[in-house]
Amino acid sequence: MKRVCVSGLLLLLAGCNVTRQAEVSRVDVPQGLVWMTFGEAMLQDAHYDSYVTNGVATRECQAMGYNTAMAYGQPVKTCSLIGGSLCLNKKVTIQYQCQGYAPQPAITTSAYY
């Protein structure tokens, strides 16, 4: 009976490690900051693909006129759903700092007759 309980517990805990796709949640153009978030349910060990997340942040930075993005600080977890005294869902926020100047191509106007 103990083997069944232990193996059941191990299977339960093994299913709690999930990969989440972080999405852009906030952008600060003057300071060149991009915040990306994803959710983490209770008893989950959610993580994100840093390569994919960095690519999305870099595209946001390039849309603001910067060259690239670099992760800034550690991911911050805040409780987004409370049930009694338990945190049922957390919001994980990753901050990126935009770096470098990406020159925009010159726009030429010419009249065609």
Side-chain angles (χ1 to χ4, degrees):
M1 180 66 176
K2 287 184 180 182
R3 285 186 192 175
V4 172
C5 290
V6 171
S7 63
L9 181 62
L10 289 175
L11 287 174
L12 177 68
L13 293 177
C16 296
N17 191 6
V18 296
T19 302
R20 299 284 185 184
Q21 176 64 44
E23 298 178 357
V24 176
S25 59
R26 187 173 150 207
V27 174
D28 185 343
V29 177
Q31 293 183 3
L33 298 174
V34 176
W35 288 269
M36 300 187 67
T37 60
F38 64 91
E40 179 180 72
M42 187 170 74
L43 299 178
Q44 280 188 343
D45 182 22
H47 58 277
Y48 62 97
D49 185 341
S50 59
Y51 182 77
V52 172
T53 306
N54 190 24
V56 173
T58 296
R59 281 194 300 272
E60 284 293 320
C61 288
Q62 289 172 347
M64 292 187 287
Y66 295 93
N67 190 31
T68 189
M70 181 176 284
Y72 181 76
Q74 296 294 318
V76 177
K77 294 183 179 185
T78 55
C79 189
S80 59
L81 179 62
I82 298 173
S85 62
L86 296 174
C87 180
L88 301 176
N89 196 16
K90 295 177 186 173
K91 180 175 77 168
V92 181
T93 304
I94 308 124
Q95 184 173 336
Y96 285 87
Q97 173 73 52
C98 299
Q99 297 182 340
Y101 173 72
Q104 300 295 326
I107 299 174
T108 59
T109 58
S110 60
Y112 293 102
Y113 296 102

